[in-house]
Amino acid sequence: MQFFRKSLLSLLVGMAATSASAAPASAPQFTLTRFNYTLPAHVYAGDINSQGEIFGIGISQNKDVWYSTSGTTLNVAAPLPGNITISSLNASGQGIAYSTTGSGKRSYYYVENGAFTPLAVNGQQARATAINDAGQVTLTTFDSSGNARGYVYSSAGGYQEIGAAGGIGNAASNINSAGAVVGYTNGADGKAGAYLYANGVMTPLVSEFDAPSYANGINNAGQVSGWATGGQGMNGTEAFFWANGQYQRIAKLSTSIGIDGLGRVLGYNDFGTLAMLWDGNETYDLSDLVGETGWYFGQVGGINEAGQISAYGCRGSICEVVRLDPLSPVPEPSTYALLLAGMALLTCAARKRS
């Protein structure tokens, strides 16, 4: 029994050290993954899924192409029949795709098992914005007056409308693993207001500044990122972080791109020309957080729950899509559960000795 307690204690100490290292005390640090191209192309940073795979678009031999990454390979392909481009896939292979007409108008599709289902509500085409690993898609339609209506779609549940909380419309931007949605809703005055919609309840997120606001990022803990603009006492456009009813302005960030599982917000600086990361205390130039010097990141495509970032980076005269991988990954909830279970066993053993 004594040997068991010592072994268990050693295991828990090691786990605690690992968990502690997952929340960096200083600036976050990233390694950089570069990709081998199968076809010469100029590509742009695209969406990144929970597996760290990136999906985006580009140009090759003066033709539009789309790409996806797998491991350290970037696969470039021509649009599918019907000019369809896949823009995102989840861990189960469900995803979002779109086709573009000559006028630039897009039609969106739900991807599952190789089938492409058009996304439309009551005859109105829908714009899809995000998909979670449960296969739920956030999408928005616009009526003839330009009013937005937000929905969540899945192959099992169909179209579920998001309540507008008395407004004249709303748009859906993102969704987490529990199905909580963020976006913006318009009031009677037409002013946008960031919201969180969870368990049938619409929660406004920004009450300060009397400013239009937009939410576009949510993690699995329900923390939200977004931005507000043009309000009283504001310096132009400012990104924000929201959690448990508390709103926080983010210094040096003008817009938000997304948020990871630790609540770190990815976005752009005041001029919208430099990618930056806020870790809850400080805002850093993304280029300062990469071990390899000389990189400049002027465009980012997204950040996932694990903190991996899709970016378009330049080093010298070479520019390419890369992935930034955190040195201290976001711990899985199961890690904490195992730690707590072990502590309970130790407590039980101690009581028996006494």
Side-chain angles (χ1 to χ4, degrees):
M1 183 66 182
Q2 185 176 5
F3 173 77
F4 169 75
R5 288 197 299 270
K6 288 183 178 179
S7 299
L8 181 58
L9 181 60
S10 299
L11 174 62
L12 293 175
V13 169
M15 289 174 57
T18 301
S19 298
S21 66
S26 57
Q29 296 294 315
F30 294 83
T31 58
L32 189 144
T33 297
R34 302 177 70 176
F35 299 102
N36 302 311
Y37 289 28
T38 57
L39 183 70
H42 179 74
V43 295
Y44 306 93
D47 186 42
I48 184 167
N49 67 10
S50 61
Q51 306 302 109
E53 299 166 333
I54 302 172
F55 298 82
I57 59 174
I59 299 175
S60 177
Q61 300 175 347
N62 296 319
K63 294 182 179 180
D64 293 336
V65 295
W66 69 279
Y67 73 87
S68 62
T69 66
S70 177
T72 58
T73 299
L74 187 149
N75 300 299
V76 179
L80 300 170
N83 199 31
I84 293 177
T85 295
I86 297 175
S87 59
S88 183
L89 288 176
N90 65 16
S92 301
Q94 301 159 318
I96 301 169
Y98 64 87
S99 61
T100 306
T101 64
S103 62
K105 185 177 181 179
R106 287 184 175 182
S107 298
Y108 287 85
Y109 305 85
Y110 179 75
V111 183
E112 187 171 27
N113 297 324
F116 294 80
T117 302
L119 293 170
V121 185
N122 298 325
Q124 296 178 342
Q125 290 189 333
R127 181 187 67 195
T129 51
I131 183 169
N132 64 12
D133 277 341
Q136 296 173 302
V137 175
T138 49
L139 48 90
T140 304
T141 65
F142 297 89
D143 63 21
S144 58
S145 299
N147 297 324
R149 303 300 301 183
Y151 296 84
V152 173
Y153 171 84
S154 67
S155 57
Y159 296 92
Q160 304 294 324
E161 186 172 0
I162 297 169
I168 60 173
N170 64 79
S173 300
N174 216 325
I175 186 168
N176 70 4
S177 61
V181 176
V182 293
Y184 66 89
T185 184
N186 288 327
D189 59 357
K191 185 180 295 183
Y195 72 79
L196 166 66
Y197 184 76
N199 301 316
V201 177
M202 179 81 75
T203 302
L205 303 183
V206 182
S207 58
E208 300 182 71
F209 318 119
D210 190 32
S213 58
Y214 309 84
N216 67 340
I218 181 169
N219 62 18
N220 290 340
Q223 298 169 321
V224 180
S225 67
W227 70 91
T229 184
Q232 299 174 2
M234 290 182 61
N235 183 21
T237 300
E238 297 179 353
F240 70 80
F241 169 83
W242 183 95
N244 301 318
Q246 299 298 313
Y247 173 90
Q248 184 174 350
R249 303 165 72 172
I250 302 178
K252 300 181 183 179
L253 274 191
S254 59
T255 55
S256 158
I257 296 298
I259 184 171
D260 73 4
L262 289 179
R264 298 181 293 203
V265 178
L266 178 69
Y268 292 106
N269 64 355
D270 293 342
F271 305 101
T273 57
L274 180 66
M276 307 188 77
L277 184 73
W278 177 77
D279 70 348
N281 296 298
E282 301 290 338
T283 305
Y284 304 93
D285 291 359
L286 202 57
S287 56
D288 293 337
L289 305 181
V290 177
E292 299 181 34
T293 60
W295 283 94
Y296 172 83
F297 301 102
Q299 183 206 6
V300 284
I303 185 169
N304 64 14
E305 189 79 8
Q308 296 173 301
I309 296 172
S310 161
Y312 181 74
C314 296
R315 194 183 195 193
S317 60
I318 304 299
C319 297
E320 58 190 301
V321 167
V322 296
R323 189 183 68 221
L324 276 57
D325 301 303
L327 287 177
S328 299
V330 177
E332 294 290 336
S334 58
T335 301
Y336 293 119
L338 185 58
L339 177 61
L340 291 174
M343 292 177 67
L345 285 174
L346 282 179
T347 301
C348 180
R351 287 177 177 174
K352 288 182 177 181
R353 290 200 308 273
S354 61

